[in-house]
Protein backbone atom coordinates (compact mmCIF):
# COMPACT_ATOMS: atom_id res chain seq x y z
CA UNK A 1 0.00 0.00 0.00
CA UNK A 2 1.36 3.38 -0.94
CA UNK A 3 2.56 5.69 1.85
CA UNK A 4 1.34 9.26 1.77
CA UNK A 5 3.95 11.98 1.59
CA UNK A 6 3.93 15.74 1.80
CA UNK A 7 4.17 15.76 -2.00
CA UNK A 8 1.02 13.66 -2.36
CA UNK A 9 -0.70 15.90 0.13
CA UNK A 10 0.14 18.84 -2.12
CA UNK A 11 -1.15 16.86 -5.10
CA UNK A 12 -4.57 16.22 -3.53
CA UNK A 13 -7.38 16.75 -6.01
CA UNK A 14 -9.05 20.15 -6.19
CA UNK A 15 -12.16 20.40 -4.04
CA UNK A 16 -15.59 19.78 -5.59
CA UNK A 17 -18.16 22.60 -5.58
CA UNK A 18 -20.91 22.23 -3.03
CA UNK A 19 -24.21 21.22 -4.65
CA UNK A 20 -27.01 23.77 -4.08
CA UNK A 21 -29.17 21.42 -2.02
CA UNK A 22 -26.42 20.89 0.60
CA UNK A 23 -26.90 23.38 3.47
CA UNK A 24 -23.71 25.18 4.62
CA UNK A 25 -24.20 23.73 8.11
CA UNK A 26 -23.71 20.19 6.78
CA UNK A 27 -20.33 20.85 5.17
CA UNK A 28 -17.27 19.56 7.01
CA UNK A 29 -13.81 19.33 5.47
CA UNK A 30 -12.54 15.79 5.74
CA UNK A 31 -10.24 14.18 3.20
CA UNK A 32 -9.99 10.45 3.80
CA UNK A 33 -7.02 10.07 1.48
CA UNK A 34 -4.86 13.11 2.32
CA UNK A 35 -5.90 14.64 5.68
CA UNK A 36 -2.48 14.92 7.43
CA UNK A 37 -3.88 14.23 10.90
CA UNK A 38 -5.80 11.21 9.61
CA UNK A 39 -2.61 9.84 8.02
CA UNK A 40 -0.60 10.46 11.20
CA UNK A 41 -3.09 8.79 13.53
CA UNK A 42 -6.30 7.69 11.76
CA UNK A 43 -8.29 6.67 14.80
CA UNK A 44 -7.65 9.80 16.87
CA UNK A 45 -8.65 11.93 13.88
CA UNK A 46 -11.68 9.69 13.19
CA UNK A 47 -12.85 10.15 16.79
CA UNK A 48 -12.47 13.91 16.36
CA UNK A 49 -14.50 13.85 13.11
CA UNK A 50 -17.24 11.83 14.82
CA UNK A 51 -17.31 14.33 17.72
CA UNK A 52 -17.17 17.64 15.87
CA UNK A 53 -18.71 17.06 12.39
CA UNK A 54 -22.49 16.96 11.84
CA UNK A 55 -23.65 13.29 12.15
CA UNK A 56 -24.29 13.34 8.40
CA UNK A 57 -21.96 15.70 6.56
CA UNK A 58 -20.86 16.57 3.03
CA UNK A 59 -17.17 17.04 2.25
CA UNK A 60 -15.76 18.65 -0.91
CA UNK A 61 -12.75 16.29 -0.97
CA UNK A 62 -12.26 13.15 -3.09
CA UNK A 63 -14.77 14.29 -5.66
CA UNK A 64 -17.32 15.52 -3.09
CA UNK A 65 -19.36 13.01 -1.10
CA UNK A 66 -21.52 12.41 1.95
CA UNK A 67 -20.33 10.72 5.14
CA UNK A 68 -22.69 9.14 7.69
CA UNK A 69 -21.00 8.80 11.09
CA UNK A 70 -23.46 7.87 13.88
CA UNK A 71 -24.02 4.24 14.92
CA UNK A 72 -27.83 4.22 14.49
CA UNK A 73 -27.76 6.18 11.24
CA UNK A 74 -25.12 3.88 9.75
CA UNK A 75 -27.01 0.74 10.90
CA UNK A 76 -30.21 2.03 9.28
CA UNK A 77 -28.47 3.23 6.12
CA UNK A 78 -26.87 -0.22 5.61
CA UNK A 79 -30.43 -1.63 5.46
CA UNK A 80 -31.94 1.13 3.31
CA UNK A 81 -30.73 -0.17 -0.04
CA UNK A 82 -33.33 1.76 -2.01
CA UNK A 83 -31.83 5.06 -0.87
CA UNK A 84 -28.23 3.81 -0.62
CA UNK A 85 -27.53 1.44 -3.47
CA UNK A 86 -24.55 -0.88 -3.88
CA UNK A 87 -24.74 -0.56 -7.67
CA UNK A 88 -21.74 1.73 -7.96
CA UNK A 89 -21.35 2.00 -11.71
CA UNK A 90 -24.61 3.28 -13.20
CA UNK A 91 -25.70 1.48 -16.36
CA UNK A 92 -25.10 4.58 -18.53
CA UNK A 93 -21.50 4.88 -17.29
CA UNK A 94 -20.89 1.15 -17.77
CA UNK A 95 -22.08 1.41 -21.36
CA UNK A 96 -19.58 4.21 -22.02
CA UNK A 97 -16.75 2.21 -20.40
CA UNK A 98 -17.60 -0.87 -22.46
CA UNK A 99 -17.74 1.15 -25.67
CA UNK A 100 -14.25 2.55 -24.98
CA UNK A 101 -12.43 -0.65 -24.03
CA UNK A 102 -9.35 -1.34 -26.16
CA UNK A 103 -9.71 -4.24 -28.61
CA UNK A 104 -9.25 -7.61 -26.90
CA UNK A 105 -9.70 -6.22 -23.35
CA UNK A 106 -11.58 -8.38 -20.86
CA UNK A 107 -15.08 -7.14 -20.06
CA UNK A 108 -15.21 -5.60 -16.56
CA UNK A 109 -16.93 -7.85 -14.06
CA UNK A 110 -19.64 -6.91 -11.64
CA UNK A 111 -18.30 -7.88 -8.23
CA UNK A 112 -20.74 -10.37 -6.76
CA UNK A 113 -22.62 -10.33 -4.48
CA UNK A 114 -21.41 -6.92 -3.30
CA UNK A 115 -22.52 -4.76 -6.26
CA UNK A 116 -26.09 -6.05 -6.43
CA UNK A 117 -29.04 -4.69 -4.43
CA UNK A 118 -31.83 -6.78 -2.92
CA UNK A 119 -33.90 -8.62 -3.95
CA UNK A 120 -31.50 -10.02 -6.64
CA UNK A 121 -28.64 -9.88 -4.11
CA UNK A 122 -29.99 -12.87 -2.14
CA UNK A 123 -29.86 -15.08 -5.22
CA UNK A 124 -26.12 -14.43 -5.59
CA UNK A 125 -25.26 -14.48 -1.89
CA UNK A 126 -27.25 -17.42 -0.51
CA UNK A 127 -25.31 -20.19 -2.31
CA UNK A 128 -22.00 -18.82 -0.94
CA UNK A 129 -23.14 -19.09 2.68
CA UNK A 130 -22.33 -22.82 2.73
CA UNK A 131 -18.78 -22.20 1.45
CA UNK A 132 -18.18 -19.49 4.09
CA UNK A 133 -19.96 -21.13 7.03
CA UNK A 134 -18.48 -21.08 10.57
CA UNK A 135 -17.93 -24.85 10.27
CA UNK A 136 -15.85 -24.56 7.09
CA UNK A 137 -13.84 -21.68 8.64
CA UNK A 138 -13.12 -23.74 11.78
CA UNK A 139 -12.04 -26.64 9.57
CA UNK A 140 -9.33 -24.41 8.09
CA UNK A 141 -7.92 -23.37 11.45
CA UNK A 142 -4.94 -25.73 11.54
CA UNK A 143 -3.96 -24.90 7.97
CA UNK A 144 -4.02 -21.18 8.88
CA UNK A 145 -1.99 -21.94 12.01
CA UNK A 146 0.70 -23.70 10.00
CA UNK A 147 1.21 -20.60 7.84
CA UNK A 148 1.11 -18.21 10.83
CA UNK A 149 3.65 -20.30 12.79
CA UNK A 150 6.06 -20.45 9.82
CA UNK A 151 5.97 -16.66 9.34
CA UNK A 152 6.33 -15.79 13.04
CA UNK A 153 9.09 -18.37 13.64
CA UNK A 154 11.03 -16.90 10.74
CA UNK A 155 11.27 -13.46 12.43
CA UNK A 156 11.53 -14.64 16.06
CA UNK A 157 15.37 -14.86 16.23
CA UNK A 158 15.73 -11.33 14.81
CA UNK A 159 14.38 -9.47 17.86
CA UNK A 160 12.46 -7.16 15.53
CA UNK A 161 10.23 -7.22 12.48
CA UNK A 162 8.23 -5.08 10.13
CA UNK A 163 4.90 -6.73 10.83
CA UNK A 164 3.18 -6.00 7.53
CA UNK A 165 5.73 -7.17 5.00
CA UNK A 166 6.94 -10.08 7.13
CA UNK A 167 3.70 -11.46 8.60
CA UNK A 168 0.36 -9.75 8.06
CA UNK A 169 0.58 -9.26 4.27
CA UNK A 170 1.87 -12.73 3.37
CA UNK A 171 -0.44 -14.54 5.81
CA UNK A 172 -3.86 -13.66 4.34
CA UNK A 173 -2.47 -13.66 0.78
CA UNK A 174 -1.04 -17.17 1.17
CA UNK A 175 -4.24 -18.24 2.91
CA UNK A 176 -6.34 -16.90 0.06
CA UNK A 177 -4.17 -18.59 -2.55
CA UNK A 178 -4.32 -21.89 -0.66
CA UNK A 179 -8.08 -21.75 -0.09
CA UNK A 180 -8.68 -20.90 -3.69
CA UNK A 181 -6.19 -23.43 -4.96
CA UNK A 182 -4.21 -20.70 -6.74
CA UNK A 183 -0.43 -21.08 -7.18
CA UNK A 184 1.41 -19.73 -4.09
CA UNK A 185 4.43 -18.89 -6.30
CA UNK A 186 2.33 -16.03 -7.72
CA UNK A 187 2.00 -14.39 -4.29
CA UNK A 188 3.81 -11.17 -5.19
CA UNK A 189 1.70 -10.75 -8.33
CA UNK A 190 -1.57 -11.03 -6.35
CA UNK A 191 -0.32 -8.66 -3.65
CA UNK A 192 0.48 -6.04 -6.28
CA UNK A 193 -3.04 -6.30 -7.68
CA UNK A 194 -4.56 -5.66 -4.24
CA UNK A 195 -2.31 -2.65 -3.83
CA UNK A 196 -3.34 -1.19 -7.19
CA UNK A 197 -7.04 -1.66 -6.69
CA UNK A 198 -7.16 -0.60 -3.05
CA UNK A 199 -4.71 2.31 -3.35
CA UNK A 200 -5.88 5.69 -2.04
CA UNK A 201 -8.21 7.40 -4.48
CA UNK A 202 -10.42 4.36 -4.93
CA UNK A 203 -13.28 6.53 -6.07
CA UNK A 204 -11.34 6.49 -9.32
CA UNK A 205 -13.50 3.91 -11.09
CA UNK A 206 -11.04 3.49 -13.99
CA UNK A 207 -8.35 2.39 -11.52
CA UNK A 208 -10.64 -0.20 -9.98
CA UNK A 209 -11.70 -1.52 -13.36
CA UNK A 210 -8.12 -1.84 -14.58
CA UNK A 211 -6.99 -3.76 -11.46
CA UNK A 212 -10.11 -5.92 -11.59
CA UNK A 213 -9.46 -6.85 -15.19
CA UNK A 214 -5.90 -7.86 -14.36
CA UNK A 215 -7.20 -10.06 -11.58
CA UNK A 216 -9.84 -11.66 -13.77
CA UNK A 217 -7.20 -12.38 -16.41
CA UNK A 218 -4.72 -13.90 -13.93
CA UNK A 219 -7.27 -16.22 -12.29
CA UNK A 220 -9.07 -17.44 -15.43
CA UNK A 221 -6.68 -20.29 -16.16
CA UNK A 222 -6.90 -21.72 -12.63
CA UNK A 223 -10.68 -21.39 -12.53
CA UNK A 224 -11.06 -23.39 -15.73
CA UNK A 225 -8.49 -25.99 -14.64
CA UNK A 226 -10.32 -26.52 -11.33
CA UNK A 227 -13.63 -27.05 -13.12
CA UNK A 228 -12.04 -29.97 -15.02
CA UNK A 229 -10.00 -31.31 -12.04
CA UNK A 230 -11.74 -30.46 -8.75
CA UNK A 231 -9.68 -30.45 -5.54
CA UNK A 232 -10.38 -29.72 -1.90
CA UNK A 233 -10.49 -25.93 -2.28
CA UNK A 234 -13.01 -23.11 -2.44
CA UNK A 235 -12.93 -22.74 -6.21
CA UNK A 236 -13.79 -26.44 -6.65
CA UNK A 237 -16.58 -26.14 -4.03
CA UNK A 238 -17.97 -23.07 -5.80
CA UNK A 239 -18.14 -24.91 -9.14
CA UNK A 240 -20.75 -27.17 -7.53
CA UNK A 241 -23.05 -24.23 -6.69
CA UNK A 242 -26.27 -23.46 -8.49
CA UNK A 243 -27.27 -19.82 -8.94
CA UNK A 244 -31.00 -19.29 -9.41
CA UNK A 245 -31.38 -23.02 -10.08
CA UNK A 246 -28.77 -23.06 -12.85
CA UNK A 247 -25.16 -24.34 -12.77
CA UNK A 248 -22.65 -21.60 -12.05
CA UNK A 249 -20.87 -20.14 -15.12
CA UNK A 250 -17.24 -19.04 -15.62
CA UNK A 251 -18.35 -15.41 -15.76
CA UNK A 252 -20.11 -15.70 -12.39
CA UNK A 253 -17.08 -17.49 -10.91
CA UNK A 254 -14.87 -14.60 -12.03
CA UNK A 255 -17.22 -12.04 -10.53
CA UNK A 256 -17.25 -13.86 -7.19
CA UNK A 257 -13.48 -14.34 -7.16
CA UNK A 258 -13.04 -10.63 -7.73
CA UNK A 259 -15.08 -9.70 -4.65
CA UNK A 260 -13.61 -12.38 -2.41
CA UNK A 261 -10.11 -11.35 -3.39
CA UNK A 262 -10.68 -7.64 -2.82
CA UNK A 263 -12.78 -8.12 0.31
CA UNK A 264 -10.61 -10.76 1.94
CA UNK A 265 -7.03 -9.56 1.67
CA UNK A 266 -6.63 -5.89 2.49
CA UNK A 267 -9.15 -6.14 5.31
CA UNK A 268 -7.53 -9.03 7.15
CA UNK A 269 -4.01 -7.59 6.87
CA UNK A 270 -5.21 -4.23 8.21
CA UNK A 271 -7.04 -5.80 11.13
CA UNK A 272 -4.04 -7.97 12.07
CA UNK A 273 -1.58 -5.09 11.90
CA UNK A 274 -3.80 -2.70 13.88
CA UNK A 275 -4.29 -5.40 16.52
CA UNK A 276 -0.54 -6.06 16.71
CA UNK A 277 0.03 -2.30 17.14
CA UNK A 278 -2.46 -2.13 20.01
CA UNK A 279 -0.78 -5.11 21.70
CA UNK A 280 2.67 -3.56 21.21
CA UNK A 281 1.44 -0.42 23.00
CA UNK A 282 -0.18 -2.42 25.82
CA UNK A 283 2.17 -4.93 27.47
CA UNK A 284 -0.38 -5.54 30.27
CA UNK A 285 -2.90 -6.81 27.71
CA UNK A 286 -0.23 -9.07 26.19
CA UNK A 287 0.41 -10.55 29.64
CA UNK A 288 -3.31 -10.98 30.35
CA UNK A 289 -3.99 -12.85 27.09
CA UNK A 290 -0.79 -14.90 27.29
CA UNK A 291 -1.95 -16.05 30.73
CA UNK A 292 -5.44 -16.88 29.45
CA UNK A 293 -5.41 -17.44 25.65
CA UNK A 294 -9.19 -18.02 25.62
CA UNK A 295 -9.51 -14.21 25.89
CA UNK A 296 -8.27 -13.92 22.31
CA UNK A 297 -11.85 -14.33 21.09
CA UNK A 298 -13.27 -11.25 22.85
CA UNK A 299 -10.06 -9.31 22.34
CA UNK A 300 -10.37 -9.81 18.57
CA UNK A 301 -13.83 -8.27 18.38
CA UNK A 302 -13.03 -5.40 20.73
CA UNK A 303 -10.01 -4.61 18.51
CA UNK A 304 -12.24 -4.78 15.41
CA UNK A 305 -14.63 -2.30 17.04
CA UNK A 306 -11.95 0.07 18.31
CA UNK A 307 -9.99 0.03 15.05
CA UNK A 308 -12.77 -0.26 12.47
CA UNK A 309 -11.22 0.84 9.23
CA UNK A 310 -13.61 0.32 6.25
CA UNK A 311 -15.80 3.13 4.93
CA UNK A 312 -18.28 1.18 2.77
CA UNK A 313 -19.46 3.06 -0.27
CA UNK A 314 -22.97 3.54 -1.71
CA UNK A 315 -24.61 5.56 -4.46
CA UNK A 316 -27.85 7.39 -3.81
CA UNK A 317 -30.30 5.33 -5.88
CA UNK A 318 -33.02 7.99 -6.08
CA UNK A 319 -33.63 11.41 -4.50
CA UNK A 320 -34.28 10.60 -0.87
CA UNK A 321 -34.50 12.06 2.61
CA UNK A 322 -32.71 10.32 5.42
CA UNK A 323 -33.36 11.90 8.79
CA UNK A 324 -33.42 15.63 8.04
CA UNK A 325 -30.96 15.40 5.17
CA UNK A 326 -31.87 15.47 1.47
CA UNK A 327 -29.74 13.34 -0.87
CA UNK A 328 -29.80 13.54 -4.66
CA UNK A 329 -29.66 10.57 -7.00
CA UNK A 330 -26.10 9.67 -8.06
CA UNK A 331 -24.38 11.20 -5.02
CA UNK A 332 -21.72 9.13 -3.30
CA UNK A 333 -22.10 8.20 0.36
CA UNK A 334 -19.66 6.53 2.76
CA UNK A 335 -20.54 4.85 6.02
CA UNK A 336 -17.87 6.03 8.46
CA UNK A 337 -17.32 2.86 10.50
CA UNK A 338 -14.32 4.31 12.41
CA UNK A 339 -16.77 6.85 13.91
CA UNK A 340 -19.90 4.68 14.15
CA UNK A 341 -18.07 2.05 16.18
CA UNK A 342 -16.93 4.71 18.64
CA UNK A 343 -20.33 6.37 19.04
CA UNK A 344 -20.77 7.19 22.76
CA UNK A 345 -24.54 6.66 22.41
CA UNK A 346 -23.82 3.01 21.64
CA UNK A 347 -20.60 2.19 23.52
CA UNK A 348 -19.70 3.46 26.97
CA UNK A 349 -16.22 5.07 27.01
CA UNK A 350 -15.97 4.29 23.28
CA UNK A 351 -12.30 5.18 22.88
CA UNK A 352 -11.24 2.75 25.59
CA UNK A 353 -10.27 -0.88 24.93
CA UNK A 354 -12.36 -3.01 27.28
CA UNK A 355 -12.58 -6.78 27.44
CA UNK A 356 -16.03 -7.95 28.47
CA UNK A 357 -18.09 -5.37 26.55
CA UNK A 358 -21.32 -6.39 24.84
CA UNK A 359 -20.04 -6.42 21.27
CA UNK A 360 -22.84 -8.25 19.52
CA UNK A 361 -23.84 -5.18 17.60
CA UNK A 362 -20.51 -3.67 16.49
CA UNK A 363 -20.37 -2.63 12.85
CA UNK A 364 -16.82 -3.75 11.99
CA UNK A 365 -18.22 -6.31 9.54
CA UNK A 366 -21.02 -4.03 8.31
CA UNK A 367 -24.74 -4.76 8.74
CA UNK A 368 -27.83 -5.56 6.69
CA UNK A 369 -27.90 -7.61 3.49
CA UNK A 370 -24.22 -7.07 2.61
CA UNK A 371 -22.83 -7.92 6.06
CA UNK A 372 -19.41 -9.50 5.64
CA UNK A 373 -19.67 -12.97 4.17
CA UNK A 374 -16.10 -13.81 5.19
CA UNK A 375 -16.41 -12.80 8.85
CA UNK A 376 -16.14 -16.34 10.21
CA UNK A 377 -13.01 -16.95 8.16
CA UNK A 378 -11.64 -13.51 9.13
CA UNK A 379 -12.22 -14.19 12.83
CA UNK A 380 -10.49 -17.59 12.65
CA UNK A 381 -7.52 -16.01 10.84
CA UNK A 382 -7.32 -13.26 13.48
CA UNK A 383 -7.68 -15.65 16.44
CA UNK A 384 -4.89 -17.87 15.15
CA UNK A 385 -2.67 -14.88 14.37
CA UNK A 386 -3.02 -13.41 17.90
CA UNK A 387 -2.66 -16.81 19.58
CA UNK A 388 0.57 -17.58 17.76
CA UNK A 389 2.00 -14.04 18.02
CA UNK A 390 1.53 -14.03 21.79
CA UNK A 391 2.66 -17.64 22.22
CA UNK A 392 5.83 -17.33 20.14
CA UNK A 393 7.11 -13.80 20.78
CA UNK A 394 8.12 -12.51 24.19
CA UNK A 395 6.76 -9.11 25.28
CA UNK A 396 7.07 -6.80 22.28
CA UNK A 397 6.88 -3.00 21.87
CA UNK A 398 6.70 -0.47 19.07
CA UNK A 399 10.16 0.21 17.64
CA UNK A 400 10.97 3.68 19.05
CA UNK A 401 13.18 4.41 16.00
CA UNK A 402 10.52 3.64 13.39
CA UNK A 403 7.01 4.84 14.23
CA UNK A 404 4.01 3.20 12.47
CA UNK A 405 2.84 4.75 9.21
CA UNK A 406 -0.68 4.78 7.78
CA UNK A 407 -2.41 5.27 4.47
CA UNK A 408 -5.84 6.77 3.85
CA UNK A 409 -8.56 5.53 1.51
CA UNK A 410 -11.84 3.68 1.64
CA UNK A 411 -10.06 0.94 3.55
CA UNK A 412 -7.76 3.00 5.74
CA UNK A 413 -4.95 1.20 7.47
CA UNK A 414 -1.31 0.81 8.37
CA UNK A 415 1.48 0.91 5.80
CA UNK A 416 4.30 -0.06 8.13
CA UNK A 417 4.50 -1.35 11.70
CA UNK A 418 7.86 -2.06 13.30
CA UNK A 419 8.01 -3.93 16.59
CA UNK A 420 10.95 -5.05 18.76
CA UNK A 421 11.47 -7.61 21.54
CA UNK A 422 14.35 -8.95 23.63
C1 LIG B 1 -11.13 -8.35 9.39
C2 LIG B 1 -11.44 -8.65 8.15
C3 LIG B 1 -12.66 -8.15 7.44
C4 LIG B 1 -13.41 -7.02 7.64
C5 LIG B 1 -13.19 -5.94 8.70
C6 LIG B 1 -14.47 -7.02 6.67
C7 LIG B 1 -15.45 -6.04 6.58
C8 LIG B 1 -16.50 -6.09 5.68
C9 LIG B 1 -17.54 -5.08 5.60
C10 LIG B 1 -17.62 -3.83 6.45
C11 LIG B 1 -18.39 -5.47 4.62
C12 LIG B 1 -19.66 -4.74 4.18
C13 LIG B 1 -19.37 -3.90 2.95
C14 LIG B 1 -20.57 -3.14 2.44
O1 LIG B 1 -21.63 -3.19 3.06
O2 LIG B 1 -20.41 -2.52 1.40
C15 LIG B 1 -17.90 -6.70 4.07
C16 LIG B 1 -18.49 -7.40 3.04
C17 LIG B 1 -17.95 -8.55 2.48
N1 LIG B 1 -16.85 -9.26 2.90
FE1 LIG B 1 -15.67 -8.77 4.46
N2 LIG B 1 -14.34 -8.14 5.88
C18 LIG B 1 -13.27 -8.87 6.32
C19 LIG B 1 -12.79 -10.06 5.81
C20 LIG B 1 -13.36 -10.77 4.77
C21 LIG B 1 -12.88 -12.03 4.24
C22 LIG B 1 -11.70 -12.83 4.78
C23 LIG B 1 -13.68 -12.35 3.19
C24 LIG B 1 -13.65 -13.55 2.27
C25 LIG B 1 -12.62 -14.16 1.82
C26 LIG B 1 -14.68 -11.30 3.07
C27 LIG B 1 -15.69 -11.29 2.14
C28 LIG B 1 -16.68 -10.34 2.07
C29 LIG B 1 -17.72 -10.34 1.05
C30 LIG B 1 -17.89 -11.36 -0.07
C31 LIG B 1 -18.52 -9.21 1.30
C32 LIG B 1 -19.74 -8.77 0.49
C33 LIG B 1 -20.98 -9.46 1.01
C34 LIG B 1 -22.22 -9.06 0.26
O3 LIG B 1 -22.18 -8.13 -0.54
O4 LIG B 1 -23.25 -9.71 0.48
N3 LIG B 1 -14.45 -10.37 4.05
N4 LIG B 1 -16.73 -7.07 4.73
Amino acid sequence: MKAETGMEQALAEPKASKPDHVPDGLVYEFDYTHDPEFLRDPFTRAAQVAREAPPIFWTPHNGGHWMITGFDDVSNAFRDWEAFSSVLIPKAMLDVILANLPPGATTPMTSLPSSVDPPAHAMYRAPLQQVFSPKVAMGLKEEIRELAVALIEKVRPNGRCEVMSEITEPLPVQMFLKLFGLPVERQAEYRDIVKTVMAPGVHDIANIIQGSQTLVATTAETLIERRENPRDDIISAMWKLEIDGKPITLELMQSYSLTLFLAGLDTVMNAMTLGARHLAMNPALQAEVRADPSRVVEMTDELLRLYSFPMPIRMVGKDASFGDVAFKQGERVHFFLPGANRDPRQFEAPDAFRLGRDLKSHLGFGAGPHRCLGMHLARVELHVFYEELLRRLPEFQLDPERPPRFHGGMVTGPTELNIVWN
Side-chain angles (χ1 to χ4, degrees), residues 78 113-114 121 125 132 259-260 263-264 267-268 271 304 309 312 314 337 364-366 369-370 372-374 378:
F78 263 125
S114 48
H121 170 259
R125 176 171 167 125
F132 286 94
T259 312
L260 296 173
T267 48
V268 176
L304 282 167
F309 47 83
R314 295 293 187 271
L337 302 191
F365 288 115
H370 291 280
C372 182
L373 193 62

Side-chain angles (χ1 to χ4, degrees), residues 279 282-293 390 395:
L279 284 164
N282 293 279
L285 178 64
Q286 292 184 40
E288 189 178 349
V289 183
R290 273 195 191 95
D292 178 3
L390 292 170
E395 186 181 297

Side-chain angles (χ1 to χ4, degrees), residues 6 45 51 53 135 152 311 333 337 356 379 403 406 409 419:
R45 173 70 175 124
R51 254 192 333 269
K135 193 166 161 232
I152 297 168
M311 299 178 210
V333 182
L337 302 191
R379 282 198 174 105
F406 299 92
I419 58 170

Side-chain angles (χ1 to χ4, degrees), residues 42 51 74 76 98 146 201 221 272 308 331 374 376 379:
R51 254 192 333 269
V74 169
N76 293 333
L98 291 176
E146 216 176 283
E221 207 183 301
M272 285 178 175
S308 269
E331 288 180 325
H376 306 300
R379 282 198 174 105

